[in-house]
Tab-separated table of all heavy atoms in Angstrom:
chain	number	residue	atom	x	y	z
A	53	SER	N	-11.529	11.317	-3.198
A	53	SER	CA	-11.425	10.950	-1.777
A	53	SER	C	-10.049	11.361	-1.274
A	53	SER	O	-9.040	10.884	-1.802
A	53	SER	CB	-11.571	9.429	-1.602
A	53	SER	OG	-12.865	9.030	-1.906
A	58	LEU	N	1.174	7.206	4.579
A	58	LEU	CA	2.196	7.266	5.640
A	58	LEU	C	3.234	6.197	5.342
A	58	LEU	O	2.921	5.000	5.373
A	58	LEU	CB	1.579	6.912	6.993
A	58	LEU	CG	0.864	7.958	7.822
A	58	LEU	CD1	0.617	7.423	9.218
A	58	LEU	CD2	1.690	9.204	7.884
A	67	LEU	N	8.263	6.346	-1.678
A	67	LEU	CA	7.007	6.925	-2.177
A	67	LEU	C	7.183	8.375	-2.650
A	67	LEU	O	6.411	8.843	-3.485
A	67	LEU	CB	5.918	6.850	-1.096
A	67	LEU	CG	5.382	5.447	-0.819
A	67	LEU	CD1	4.290	5.503	0.263
A	67	LEU	CD2	4.824	4.791	-2.074
A	84	ILE	N	8.955	14.259	12.648
A	84	ILE	CA	7.757	14.190	13.507
A	84	ILE	C	8.107	13.459	14.807
A	84	ILE	O	7.769	13.904	15.902
A	84	ILE	CB	6.592	13.484	12.779
A	84	ILE	CG1	6.163	14.302	11.556
A	84	ILE	CG2	5.414	13.253	13.726
A	84	ILE	CD1	5.103	13.636	10.694
A	114	VAL	N	14.686	4.652	12.123
A	114	VAL	CA	14.162	5.120	13.410
A	114	VAL	C	12.884	4.323	13.674
A	114	VAL	O	12.176	3.964	12.732
A	114	VAL	CB	13.879	6.644	13.364
A	114	VAL	CG1	12.899	7.019	12.289
A	114	VAL	CG2	13.391	7.173	14.704
A	117	THR	N	6.647	4.234	16.360
A	117	THR	CA	5.863	3.577	17.407
A	117	THR	C	4.366	3.683	17.108
A	117	THR	O	3.932	4.493	16.282
A	117	THR	CB	6.118	4.242	18.774
A	117	THR	OG1	5.704	5.608	18.668
A	117	THR	CG2	7.583	4.182	19.171
A	130	ASN	N	-9.630	13.204	10.573
A	130	ASN	CA	-10.886	13.818	10.105
A	130	ASN	C	-10.750	14.522	8.767
A	130	ASN	O	-11.743	14.887	8.158
A	130	ASN	CB	-11.398	14.832	11.141
A	130	ASN	CG	-11.984	14.110	12.336
A	130	ASN	OD1	-12.477	12.986	12.214
A	130	ASN	ND2	-11.905	14.733	13.495
A	159	VAL	N	-2.525	-7.664	2.443
A	159	VAL	CA	-1.276	-8.420	2.423
A	159	VAL	C	-0.924	-8.686	0.964
A	159	VAL	O	-1.731	-9.230	0.208
A	159	VAL	CB	-1.413	-9.738	3.213
A	159	VAL	CG1	-0.095	-10.492	3.197
A	159	VAL	CG2	-1.852	-9.456	4.652
A	161	ALA	N	1.316	-10.366	-2.037
A	161	ALA	CA	2.165	-11.518	-2.359
A	161	ALA	C	2.308	-11.618	-3.870
A	161	ALA	O	1.403	-11.241	-4.613
A	161	ALA	CB	1.550	-12.806	-1.817
A	163	PRO	N	3.359	-14.396	-7.113
A	163	PRO	CA	3.219	-15.851	-7.317
A	163	PRO	C	4.557	-16.565	-7.124
A	163	PRO	O	5.148	-17.108	-8.063
A	163	PRO	CB	2.752	-15.972	-8.778
A	163	PRO	CG	2.334	-14.616	-9.172
A	163	PRO	CD	3.150	-13.658	-8.353
A	173	ALA	N	2.254	-15.672	7.012
A	173	ALA	CA	2.800	-15.226	8.311
A	173	ALA	C	2.325	-13.807	8.629
A	173	ALA	O	1.932	-13.511	9.764
A	173	ALA	CB	4.325	-15.287	8.272
A	185	GLU	N	-10.353	-7.181	9.328
A	185	GLU	CA	-10.488	-7.332	7.876
A	185	GLU	C	-9.092	-7.517	7.300
A	185	GLU	O	-8.252	-6.611	7.368
A	185	GLU	CB	-11.077	-6.029	7.307
A	185	GLU	CG	-12.391	-6.140	6.576
A	185	GLU	CD	-12.705	-4.841	5.842
A	185	GLU	OE1	-12.649	-3.763	6.462
A	185	GLU	OE2	-12.998	-4.915	4.655
A	201	SER	N	4.616	-20.864	-13.052
A	201	SER	CA	5.387	-21.982	-12.503
A	201	SER	C	6.404	-21.538	-11.437
A	201	SER	O	7.054	-20.517	-11.631
A	201	SER	CB	6.111	-22.664	-13.663
A	201	SER	OG	6.950	-23.647	-13.178
A	203	ILE	N	4.053	-22.268	-9.260
A	203	ILE	CA	2.655	-22.175	-8.842
A	203	ILE	C	1.777	-22.560	-10.031
A	203	ILE	O	2.025	-22.144	-11.160
A	203	ILE	CB	2.339	-20.710	-8.426
A	203	ILE	CG1	3.252	-20.278	-7.269
A	203	ILE	CG2	0.881	-20.538	-8.052
A	203	ILE	CD1	3.110	-21.069	-6.020
A	226	ALA	N	5.152	-0.686	-17.526
A	226	ALA	CA	4.660	0.697	-17.372
A	226	ALA	C	4.317	1.003	-15.918
A	226	ALA	O	4.430	2.152	-15.478
A	226	ALA	CB	3.444	0.916	-18.271
A	247	PHE	N	-6.391	-1.213	-10.182
A	247	PHE	CA	-6.353	-0.407	-8.952
A	247	PHE	C	-7.687	0.293	-8.711
A	247	PHE	O	-8.116	0.439	-7.567
A	247	PHE	CB	-5.178	0.584	-8.976
A	247	PHE	CG	-3.872	-0.068	-8.623
A	247	PHE	CD1	-2.926	-0.344	-9.601
A	247	PHE	CD2	-3.604	-0.449	-7.314
A	247	PHE	CE1	-1.734	-0.975	-9.274
A	247	PHE	CE2	-2.409	-1.084	-6.975
A	247	PHE	CZ	-1.469	-1.349	-7.964
A	248	ARG	N	-8.325	0.714	-9.808
A	248	ARG	CA	-9.655	1.333	-9.642
A	248	ARG	C	-10.616	0.298	-9.029
A	248	ARG	O	-11.338	0.585	-8.073
A	248	ARG	CB	-10.193	1.825	-10.995
A	248	ARG	CG	-11.420	2.710	-10.865
A	248	ARG	CD	-12.189	2.819	-12.176
A	248	ARG	NE	-12.716	1.538	-12.618
A	248	ARG	CZ	-13.819	0.967	-12.142
A	248	ARG	NH1	-14.519	1.578	-11.207
A	248	ARG	NH2	-14.221	-0.214	-12.581
Side-chain angles (χ1 to χ4, degrees):
S53 292
L58 276 192
L67 289 181
I84 296 175
V114 58
T117 61
N130 286 332
V159 181
E185 240 191 309
S201 174
I203 301 298
F247 280 105
R248 191 198 63 80

